[in-house]
Amino acid sequence: MMVMWEQICNLIHGLKPVLMMVVASAAFAGVNIFYKLAANDGMSLRVIIAYRLIFAFAFTVPVALLLERNCIPKLNFKMLFLACLSGLCGGSLCQNLFVESLVLTSATFTSAMFNLVPAVTFVLATSIGSEKLGIRTRAGKAKVLGTLIGIIGAMLLTLYKGVEIKIWSKHVDLLHHAGVRHMASSSACKRLIGSLLTLGSCLSYALWLNVQAKISKEYPCQHSNAALMCVMGAIQAVVFALCMEKDSDQWKLGWNIRLLTVAYSGIVGSGLMVTMTSWCVHIRGPLFVSVFTPLSVVAVAVAASLILDEKLHLGSVLGATLIVCGLYAVLWGKGKEMKKQSQLVPAANTSKESESIQISITSPNEEIKELNDSRKGDQVLPN
């Protein structure tokens, strides 16, 4: 009985990263739904992002002080500059572009387009020289092919609509607004602008990943890093919203959908999701986390069609499928490269160990020879 209980506990412990990534995907779908509902209520999109980062700052700073108060490194000018870039690329700029595209198109559309992040990151890293193209290798070909498939999927998602696909016979429409339905199935011009904004959000997020790679080397505290990013992002988002939004009533929060949106997106979306994702990266690696990215598209599509009465079309399904296929091709190529690099490192370590073993084998003979010489010397001394 005890053995069976231990096996169940081990199984649950092994499924923890999977369950956490499923919860994170569902939470991401909730953020998109709340964005739509708050925008439908008339709340300024810039104010939403400002409040989201304020709530994220209020959540992450106490957590960082509680868990990492004894190991937080000192800040210098370089770290403050990188933190400012991190808050811009991963916070204020990325989120503002994303929510603008979300309102112009639909929650399903923006979620599917955001899966282009690995492909955009690969193109950016190749252009700045931080990653080799390796077109002659299978991994390099897979990354290039995956990037092209993702771009084709994004173009199909943007330019082709197709027939409507009905999933549910009954649904709940929380928007209660014909104009919003028209916005969800917007004109070709709005769809094109929304696509460009989403691509800009993907590019900003890809830049944030490269900035984070530099920050993590000099500032390894994950919670403090997230808190610093939220602080910088909140300052930038508040300044931008104050400059662009002149209506003071937009900043008023009551016990309504506006407060629920900013609290959920800040605490859950930017607080708990970052913590859970960071833990999964630490346990299973970044490739494991990236594999679950398409799950958020499915979660958003189901929630949006069921709750917001968003129309799902054939072009969206085909485009999202191609983007997901391109995503997995890029991840497969990256995984092959990481596996090859990990195999080369032990080989180098083994050669160094063999050299040390060879020295340790020859050294006893030298010691015996020296011992015999010393004994001969001792025998000669009495004479």
Side-chain angles (χ1 to χ4, degrees), residues 137 157 219 271 285:
T137 63
L157 192 69
Y219 205 83

Side-chain angles (χ1 to χ4, degrees), residues 96-158:
N96 272 290
L97 291 174
F98 181 83
V99 74
E100 289 282 354
S101 65
L102 180 69
V103 174
L104 281 175
T105 55
S106 67
T108 307
F109 181 88
T110 51
S111 300
M113 287 284 289
F114 206 72
N115 281 294
L116 287 173
V117 167
V120 174
T121 306
F122 169 66
V123 173
L124 181 65
T126 305
S127 61
I128 64 178
S130 62
E131 184 166 342
K132 294 181 180 179
L133 185 61
I135 191 64
R136 295 183 180 181
T137 63
R138 293 179 61 187
K141 292 177 181 177
K143 290 191 293 183
V144 173
L145 182 63
T147 302
L148 293 176
I149 292 175
I151 293 172
I152 293 172
M155 293 176 64
L156 183 63
L157 192 69
T158 304

Side-chain angles (χ1 to χ4, degrees), residues 18 23 38 48-49 53-54 86 88-89 103 127 132 143 167 169 188 192 216 239 265 274 293 302 321 336-337 362 370:
V18 177
V23 171
I48 292 175
I49 300 305
L53 292 173
I54 290 173
S86 177
L88 177 66
C89 298
V103 174
S127 61
K132 294 181 180 179
K143 290 191 293 183
I167 303 177
S169 57
L192 181 60
S216 60
V239 171
S265 60
V274 171
T293 305
V302 171
T321 302
K336 284 289 185 182
E337 284 188 350
T362 56
E370 291 177 358

Side-chain angles (χ1 to χ4, degrees), residues 65-296:
L65 292 175
L66 180 64
L67 299 179
E68 299 174 345
R69 61 182 180 274
N70 296 325
C71 62
I72 298 177
K74 294 182 179 180
L75 290 174
N76 51 31
F77 179 77
K78 180 182 178 182
M79 281 305 306
L80 287 175
F81 176 71
L82 289 176
C84 185
L85 282 180
S86 177
L88 177 66
C89 298
S92 56
L93 179 61
C94 177
Q95 292 296 325
N96 272 290
L97 291 174
F98 181 83
V99 74
E100 289 282 354
S101 65
L102 180 69
V103 174
L104 281 175
T105 55
S106 67
T108 307
F109 181 88
T110 51
S111 300
M113 287 284 289
F114 206 72
N115 281 294
L116 287 173
V117 167
V120 174
T121 306
F122 169 66
V123 173
L124 181 65
T126 305
S127 61
I128 64 178
S130 62
E131 184 166 342
K132 294 181 180 179
L133 185 61
I135 191 64
R136 295 183 180 181
T137 63
R138 293 179 61 187
K141 292 177 181 177
K143 290 191 293 183
V144 173
L145 182 63
T147 302
L148 293 176
I149 292 175
I151 293 172
I152 293 172
M155 293 176 64
L156 183 63
L157 192 69
T158 304
L159 303 175
Y160 177 67
K161 197 171 184 180
V163 298
E164 180 183 343
I165 300 175
K166 295 183 179 181
I167 303 177
W168 318 104
S169 57
K170 295 181 180 181
H171 52 78
V172 179
D173 185 9
L174 295 180
L175 295 179
H176 302 296
H177 200 278
V180 175
R181 282 184 195 159
H182 175 70
M183 186 180 294
S185 56
S186 55
S187 63
C189 182
K190 288 184 177 180
R191 198 175 178 89
L192 181 60
I193 295 174
S195 302
L196 295 176
L197 290 173
T198 310
L199 284 176
S201 180
C202 292
L203 179 60
S204 177
Y205 192 79
L207 286 170
W208 176 74
L209 292 176
N210 285 275
V211 172
Q212 277 296 309
K214 293 184 178 181
I215 293 178
S216 60
K217 295 179 181 179
E218 301 182 15
Y219 205 83
C221 301
Q222 295 178 353
H223 296 287
S224 302
N225 186 5
L228 195 60
M229 186 199 79
C230 290
V231 170
M232 294 297 181
I235 295 172
Q236 296 164 4
V238 169
V239 171
F240 177 69
L242 288 173
C243 292
M244 299 299 295
E245 189 58 57
K246 305 300 181 182
D247 188 5
S248 59
D249 293 335
Q250 288 288 342
W251 293 89
K252 295 179 181 179
L253 296 176
W255 296 100
N256 49 24
I257 189 63
R258 299 188 178 193
L259 177 61
L260 183 59
T261 297
V262 296
Y264 179 88
S265 60
I267 296 173
V268 178
S270 296
L272 293 177
M273 277 177 61
V274 171
T275 304
M276 289 190 296
T277 305
S278 300
W279 184 82
C280 291
V281 169
H282 177 70
I283 297 298
R284 294 289 184 89
L287 192 63
F288 173 83
V289 174
S290 301
V291 168
F292 284 86
T293 305
L295 185 61
S296 61

